[in-house]
């Protein structure tokens, strides 16, 4: 099938930066939209940013101007550059990919295992 592996999380002080990466591997014919979501303790998972195969991006209002999503199509990898981090950005960050499989040419959603981002004040 398909596996998404995230990396780059960690502990950072407020105002600092982190860069998350998510690499997809497996029986991938093509990947449509890729994105990042986050879930803070006691809260629902929320969209952070998405990027289409054509490069169009969408951001949550809370991160606009501070976070930048990008992707390397050849490497099936999506990135999230996070600048000016705030304590309220603390959450587990999940990668999501909408993948067309070789096996049946159908579209499926896959999620990574999550990476913790903690911003101290």
């Amino acid at each position: 099938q398909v596996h998404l592996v995230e990396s780059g999380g960690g502990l950072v002080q407020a105002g600092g930066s982190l860069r998350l990466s998510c690499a997809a591997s497996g029986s991938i014919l093509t990947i449509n939209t890729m994105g990042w979501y986050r879930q803070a303790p006691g809260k629902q998972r929320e969209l952070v940013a998405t990027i289409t195969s054509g490069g169009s991006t969408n951001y949550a209002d809370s991160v606009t101007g501070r976070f930048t999503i990008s992707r390397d199509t050849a490497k099936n990898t999506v990135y999230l550059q996070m600048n000016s981090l705030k304590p309220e950005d603390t959450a587990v960050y999940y990668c999501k990919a909408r993948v067309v499989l070789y096996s049946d040419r159908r579209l499926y959603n896959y999620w990574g295992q999550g990476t913790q981002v903690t911003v101290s004040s």
Side-chain angles (χ1 to χ4, degrees):
Q1 290 290 344
V2 174
H3 298 280
L4 302 182
V5 179
E6 298 135 333
S7 60
L11 173 64
V12 65
Q13 289 188 332
S17 298
L18 284 174
R19 188 188 193 216
L20 305 183
S21 300
C22 172
S25 62
S27 301
I28 299 169
L29 179 62
T30 187
I31 301 179
N32 292 356
T33 301
M34 301 187 79
W36 291 95
Y37 294 72
R38 66 186 181 187
Q39 187 167 17
K43 295 187 177 181
Q44 290 187 334
R45 191 172 297 188
E46 64 177 3
L47 179 146
V48 176
T50 61
I51 184 167
T52 68
S53 55
S56 296
T57 58
N58 180 52
Y59 295 93
D61 289 344
S62 59
V63 307
T64 297
R66 300 188 298 121
F67 291 9
T68 302
I69 190 170
S70 61
R71 66 190 283 179
D72 185 330
T73 302
K75 296 181 179 179
N76 288 335
T77 300
V78 63
Y79 306 96
L80 186 68
Q81 178 66 43
M82 304 185 295
N83 299 328
S84 302
L85 282 161
K86 305 175 181 180
E88 51 263 45
D89 294 318
T90 295
V92 178
Y93 284 70
Y94 296 91
C95 171
K96 177 184 176 182
R98 291 177 58 79
V99 178
V100 178
L101 297 182
Y102 269 115
S103 57
D104 59 8
R105 297 329 195 239
R106 295 180 66 178
L107 189 63
Y108 295 89
N109 290 323
Y110 289 93
W111 291 88
Q113 80 286 354
T115 185
Q116 178 70 46
V117 171
T118 302
V119 185
S120 63
S121 58

